[in-house]
Amino acid sequence: MEAAIAALSALAQETRLSIFRALVRAQSPVAGEGGLAAGEIAEALGVAPATLSFHLKELSHAGLVASRREGRSILYTVNLDAMLGLTGFLLDDCCQGACGTLSPCAVTPVNSTRKECV
């Protein structure tokens, strides 16, 4: 519940939601690739570097954005596992729990007691 609240709070701001969506578009299907440098994000969204830094920090604290060093640059990427966990949490009780998750990609909690749809 706390992680969901933190993630939803982080995304409930226009600039942070725009940053997150830009990073989703830049995501690569290959692990360890893709992402955007802060300068690319700032330029694409028209956000001042200091403002961008603040928003990236908020998204990182919520677990939605990760960063990695590549040469002299720091590239930011979406933490898809966190987002899939959030959507799984939000949809967990759909159909009174009878259908399990609606997303084939969602992470199933270890202590889940999902029922099969009939």
Side-chain angles (χ1 to χ4, degrees):
M1 182 77 73
E2 289 177 26
I5 291 169
L8 291 169
S9 295
L11 292 172
Q13 198 280 338
E14 185 177 348
T15 303
R16 287 194 288 270
L17 185 56
S18 295
I19 292 167
F20 186 83
R21 290 175 48 84
L23 291 173
V24 166
R25 286 189 294 273
Q27 191 73 17
S28 171
V30 178
E33 293 183 12
L36 295 170
E40 293 174 302
I41 300 168
E43 184 177 323
L45 301 178
V47 177
T51 302
L52 178 69
S53 178
F54 169 78
H55 290 304
L56 284 169
K57 177 184 65 93
E58 293 297 311
L59 289 166
S60 293
H61 284 306
L64 295 172
V65 170
S67 62
R68 73 177 189 282
R69 182 167 292 282
E70 203 168 277
R72 292 178 14 161
S73 297
I74 296 176
L75 297 181
Y76 294 90
T77 57
V78 170
N79 180 346
L80 289 179
D81 289 336
M83 184 47 80
L84 290 172
L86 175 61
T87 56
F89 171 78
L90 293 172
L91 299 174
D92 192 39
D93 295 321
C94 179
C95 306
Q96 300 173 356
C99 296
T101 184
L102 294 180
S103 170
C105 302
V107 177
T108 303
V110 174
N111 60 355
S112 177
T113 56
R114 298 189 193 279
K115 300 175 187 110
E116 294 294 320
C117 267
V118 289

